[in-house]
Amino acid sequence: MPFCPNCGKEVSEGVKFCPECGQRLQIEGTPENTSGLGELATVPEELKGWSWGGFALTWIWGVCNGVLIALLCLIPFFNLAWAIVLGIKGNEWAWRNKKWDSIEHFKSTQRPWNIAGIVIFAISMVAIVVIIPAVVFPLVLWGSA
């Protein structure tokens, strides 16, 4: 019989939670899809990492991926910091908050979000480097004339 890794109590075969302490049990040999279980979900290591969709598309990505805490990006002056948090934790939160068919399903859904996020980020950087100086420098020159 298996034992709970948390409390050490003996548990019956096929039980998903320890009846004593409530610890989620991993059934050997079968990687279990725990997506959508919130804090009880086990996030596969391969899904951890930067989320361009979460970073660049913030609240839109959050609503579509079940990460409603992304709506905090709508708070002025807080939004850039929260966008960075979404970039760092977005994939994990999306796995925990929405039910996915498989890791492959998650990855195939996130791929277009990440591509769109990279494109938006690149356009933003071009705007900062090219467009803003093109507008500011003439204003500075007119002001000194």
Side-chain angles (χ1 to χ4, degrees):
M1 286 196 111
F3 291 90
C4 173
N6 188 44
C7 69
K9 300 286 182 183
E10 195 172 13
V11 294
S12 302
E13 291 287 337
V15 174
K16 293 186 178 189
F17 293 93
C18 174
E20 193 69 33
C21 69
Q23 172 71 36
R24 181 167 201 54
L25 305 174
Q26 177 69 34
I27 301 169
E28 287 187 37
T30 57
E32 190 175 348
N33 180 348
T34 61
S35 66
L37 295 178
E39 288 300 314
L40 294 175
T42 304
V43 180
E45 285 299 317
E46 62 190 285
L47 299 185
K48 294 180 180 179
W50 187 260
S51 170
W52 283 103
F55 172 70
L57 299 165
T58 62
W59 68 271
I60 297 168
W61 173 89
V63 169
C64 292
N65 286 281
V67 183
L68 298 183
I69 198 166
L71 292 172
L72 291 175
C73 281
L74 298 175
I75 299 172
F77 307 110
F78 181 69
N79 49 7
L80 179 59
W82 199 246
I84 293 169
V85 171
L86 286 171
I88 294 168
K89 298 295 284 183
N91 286 337
E92 295 176 46
W93 289 346
W95 180 262
R96 290 179 188 275
N97 291 321
K98 187 174 179 180
K99 184 67 178 164
W100 302 92
D101 295 337
S102 64
I103 292 172
E104 292 75 26
H105 175 230
F106 180 85
K107 286 180 174 182
S108 67
T109 302
Q110 294 307 311
R111 189 172 297 112
W113 285 106
N114 286 328
I115 291 168
I118 290 169
V119 168
I120 289 173
F121 180 74
I123 290 170
S124 301
M125 291 301 100
V126 168
I128 289 171
V129 172
V130 174
I131 297 171
I132 292 176
V135 171
V136 172
F137 287 145
L139 293 176
V140 171
L141 292 175
W142 287 346
S144 64

